[in-house]
Amino acid sequence: MSIKFADSEKTIVIPSTLVFTDASGDKHEVQSNEVEFSEVRDEFSQDILAINMQVEIDECGTVTNNVILDSKVDHIKRKIVSEAFANVGYYNENPNNSYDERSYDTNLTLSKDTLKKVKVKHK
């Protein structure tokens, strides 16, 4: 089952299966209903800036990522298009945190294939 988030401008749909990859290319698949999600919203507009996600993966421990949406206007198609990017850790987490201070045990990121399946529907 996919997971949906919405604000006044858009609806974001996270696919039902998420694949995380490590630096060596090993893949770790989880179902989205096993993942803890939280929205990061702009303080004033309340638009979604990012989506934090955290999941326990048996052989990896805690995995934390954030998905940021880059939206721009496609003047040829005359519509807004969005592309999803993933980063390790929570949105605005200091990447220089020591091992004890960071939100994850293993450095895994959402796969490019999974990011392509994140859908953004502008209202």
Side-chain angles (χ1 to χ4, degrees):
M1 177 178 79
S2 60
I3 307 289
K4 294 182 181 181
F5 300 92
D7 62 24
S8 63
E9 297 180 351
K10 63 193 165 295
T11 299
I12 303 160
V13 181
I14 305 291
S16 59
T17 301
L18 304 176
V19 177
F20 294 88
T21 57
D22 60 24
S24 64
D26 290 338
K27 296 180 179 185
H28 306 273
E29 187 174 301
V30 297
Q31 298 304 306
S32 60
N33 61 353
E34 299 172 21
V35 179
E36 181 180 321
F37 294 96
S38 62
E39 302 168 342
V40 179
R41 290 184 176 258
D42 180 271
E43 183 178 342
F44 299 103
S45 69
Q46 291 299 302
D47 290 337
I48 297 171
L49 301 175
I51 297 172
N52 287 325
M53 55 185 70
Q54 187 173 54
V55 64
E56 295 291 325
I57 298 177
D58 288 338
E59 57 274 4
C60 301
T62 303
V63 174
T64 306
N65 271 212
N66 66 78
V67 173
I68 299 173
L69 303 167
D70 180 27
S71 298
K72 54 191 164 202
V73 176
D74 183 331
H75 294 288
I76 295 170
K77 295 180 181 178
R78 296 182 181 216
K79 66 178 188 176
I80 299 173
V81 293
S82 295
E83 187 175 1
F85 297 93
N87 298 301
V88 173
Y90 286 130
Y91 181 78
N92 282 344
E93 181 173 346
N94 184 345
N96 296 320
N97 280 348
S98 70
Y99 182 80
D100 292 335
E101 295 174 324
R102 65 187 190 190
S103 64
Y104 54 92
D105 296 322
T106 306
N107 189 348
L108 299 177
T109 56
L110 280 175
S111 71
K112 290 179 182 180
D113 289 339
T114 298
L115 288 170
K116 289 178 185 176
K117 294 176 184 174
V118 174
K119 302 293 180 203
V120 181
K121 299 172 186 170
H122 293 274
K123 298 177 182 177

